[in-house]
Amino acid sequence: MPMIELRKVSKWYGSFRVLTECSTSVAKGEVVVVCGPSGSGKSTLIKAVNGLEPFQEGEIIVNGVSVGDPKTNLPKLRAHIGMVFQNFELFPHMSITDNLTLGQVKVLGRSREQAVEKGLALLDRVGLASQRDKYPGQLSGGQQQRVAIARALSMDPIAMLFDEPTSALDPEMINEVLDVMVELAREGMTMMVVTHEMGFARKVAHRVVFMDQGQIVEDCTKDEFFGSPRSDRAQAFLSKILQH
Amino acid sequence: MGEFDWGVIWRYRAALWDGMLTSLQLFAIALAGGVFFGTLLAMARLARWKAVSVPAAGFVNLIRAIPFIMAIFWFYFLTPMIVSKFTGQQGEAVGPFTSAVVAFIMVESAYYSEIIRAGIQSIPRGQPGAAYALGLNYWQSMGYVVLPQAFRNMLPVMLTQAVILFQDTSLVYVVALKDFLGAASKAGQLTGRIVELYLFVAVVFFILCFAASRAVKGLQARLAVAR
Amino acid sequence: MDWKVFLEQAPSGGMTYLGWLWSGLFWTIAVSACAWVIAFVAGSVVGVARTTPLAWARFLGTAYVELFRNVPLLVQMFLWYFVMPEVIPVAWGDWLKQDMPYLLRLPFAAQFSLWEFTAAVVCLGLYTASRVAEQVRSGIESLPRGQTSAGLAMGLTLAQVYRHVTLPMGFRIIIPPMTSEFLTIFKNSSTALTIGVLELTAQSRQISEYTFKTFEAFTAATLIYIAVTMTVILLMRALERRVAVPGYIAQGSTH
């Protein structure tokens, strides 16, 4: 059974259809990169996986639990799905340490000492142990995103969702974040990653999902995708993005 | 001109002080109640559930459409009625102070809810999103993530509204409650020295409110630097 | 509920209780509208003064705003009505209280005189001017600084820059806050009942005292307040659309 499975997911904003019968899956330990032009619905799709974006039709099953089912305890499900956002979304009124411990204490019920210990270990892992007492506003974008990854990891997630984690970053900071993600992938973390970073996809992705206009146009292995994408749209996208 | 008797203020100091205490009491209760219920109202207005958001919006817009004095009259009329209905007690058991308190809490909660709603909306949507993604539920994400930031952003506006609220307490004059202005008015009727007494009231209000709004400005400047 | 009460003959004014309500509405609007003229003119002057490079003008503007904003409106009402006639020369004070009421008989069964009306209008107008001034100032300050520089660089005088550049944009920006200021003055006009002006709130209370139909009387006044508020909001939205500058401050416009 896959860790994450989407079956014919459709979503409308009013009469505007943003997702059209999207189906794909992520197996345990698999890294799936979702790419496509802006406005293609990638972000909406990944946010539907942990129920941040409601959808009207279809089904999403995460670790055996249906996300769209009104009876599902979403907070409980989300507690075990890490998510990293485009704009980091660290809580600006809390210190780095407090950002790392909030979820552990309030959701998982860990003691403060346990949570701090765990959080600081992860902070050390992303190379930012010295920043523990600072506030998010005092860190660079790349540092903030690494803290955000540590925050997600502190919840011991069974899978991680990345929503364009590097697109709000200055170019020189992109690699420090990608390095952390590559390391995670190599450790066997189940990951679904919306990104334009094709270098990252080549390095660690198992599969690539290509979206356009709310539809999944391609869903194939990395080698197939970069070797011979079948659709014109994917070819056009690749040639545009790989030119630089 | 020239025949002022400022001694009247000293002679009536006890009554004036009692009046000031009444004003301050009303102010404190209305502020606490207004912020508390205002927060709930703001959350209700932003709720996805229509059954919650529509009545909340209706109440807030209704209160904001009528004069404060009209609202005071309304609650002065309704509170004893409602209380006697629920407790079986005589309506007279509810004193004018209680009615005034209810009126002020209701009106201020409507005003504060608008401020707090703007504060909540000023927080980028990704923030509650990130809180939910960590597994926090609605109340936790509001309590730990959204509201602390919203209140911080809104603090100067909320304090400015508090200064206005303090001035508005003088409106209880219309239901003959002896607040600071009411006490001065009463003393003025007894002595015929309304000129001195009203000028004194004006000066006291000015000093208190001016000092308070200066302090708010200072705080605002400090917050601006801090971010 | 007994809504027919409004059709009964009222004890004074030669009209029904419904007539009292209309009279109250008329005076509410009359007080608000006259006070608004004062508030808008005085508020614009004070607001502009606070943005000029002239230190003395800024000081006077600030002093005005602080003075009027930090004393409760009701206290100001009493200062104008009770205190002012006593501290100006005796002859003037006597004229206000004794002669002014006979200058003009107020229409619409007013049970108060021109002096009460004037005191209420002046008080509300000058009080609201301090609030309008703040809106004008922040509207002007929200314009990019370069606008003034560009005007001066073209060789315009400071007055011309205000006349042709700053104020036309500034006033467009502040239409929405001005709408809410007008609604505030409209609501605040009920404070005039404390000095005897029988406006809408006062009339509804008077009806309740004469008929004991408190619920009906208050409901009627409340509905009238809501109706006027909604009318003002709709009118101001229409104004906003009319004066919208294409490509700038898009809210209210439909493109």
Side-chain angles (χ1 to χ4, degrees), chain B residues 187-201:
Chain B
Q189 280 163 21
L190 291 173
T191 60
R193 291 292 170 187
I194 53 168
V195 172
E196 293 87 338
L197 286 157
Y198 284 155
L199 280 173
F200 176 68
V201 169

Side-chain angles (χ1 to χ4, degrees), chain A residues 52 75 78-79 81 85 89-94 102 106-107 151 155, chain B residues 48 126-127 129-137 140 144-145 148-149:
Chain A
L52 286 182
R78 288 166 180 154
I81 308 292
F85 297 84
E89 305 297 357
L90 294 179
F91 304 131
H93 60 302
M94 295 180 182
L102 178 72
K106 300 298 174 189
V107 179
R151 178 174 75 178
M155 304 291 287
Chain B
R48 261 190 299 193
Q127 286 285 308
Y132 292 141
L134 278 176
L136 297 180
N137 62 31
Q140 289 173 320
Y144 298 121
V145 175
Q149 296 185 58

Side-chain angles (χ1 to χ4, degrees), chain C residues 6-56:
Chain C
F6 293 112
L7 301 177
E8 288 170 21
Q9 193 66 24
S12 72
M15 51 175 72
T16 59
Y17 287 118
L18 188 63
W20 275 15
L21 278 181
W22 288 136
S23 164
L25 173 62
F26 173 83
W27 287 111
T28 286
I29 292 176
V31 169
S32 311
C34 296
W36 180 248
V37 175
I38 297 178
F40 188 75
V41 174
S44 300
V45 171
V46 174
V48 168
R50 293 196 71 183
T51 66
T52 59
L54 309 169
W56 61 269

Side-chain angles (χ1 to χ4, degrees), chain C residues 86-97:
Chain C
E86 310 301 327
V87 295
I88 57 177
V90 178
W92 299 4
D94 287 347
W95 184 85
L96 284 176
K97 288 185 291 185

Side-chain angles (χ1 to χ4, degrees), chain B residues 1 4 62 64-70 73-74 77-78 111 163-164 167 170-171 173-174 181 185 194-195 198-199 201-202 205-206 209-210 213-214 217, chain C residues 62 66-67 69-75 78-79 82-83 86-90 127 187 190-191 193-194 201 204-205 214-215 218-219 221-222 225-226 229:
Chain B
M1 283 181 69
F4 291 126
L62 174 67
R64 279 160 41 89
I66 63 174
F68 208 131
I69 294 181
M70 187 85 230
F73 285 163
W74 260 121
F77 161 65
L78 287 177
Y111 289 172
V163 176
I164 297 172
Q167 295 185 19
S170 62
L171 292 175
Y173 172 89
V174 299
L181 177 61
S185 209
I194 53 168
V195 172
Y198 284 155
L199 280 173
V201 169
F205 265 113
F206 178 79
C209 297
F210 182 71
S213 50
R214 280 286 120 153
K217 275 222 179 83
Chain C
T62 308
E66 293 296 348
L67 184 62
R69 215 173 40 174
N70 286 313
V71 176
L73 175 60
L74 188 52
V75 175
F78 289 173
L79 290 184
F82 295 115
V83 174
E86 310 301 327
V87 295
I88 57 177
V90 178
Y127 169 79
K187 287 187 290 173
S190 64
T191 325
L193 70 85
T194 57
T201 302
S204 74
R205 183 173 62 166
T214 309
F215 186 82
F218 287 0
T219 303
T222 298
Y225 276 116
I226 292 172
T229 298

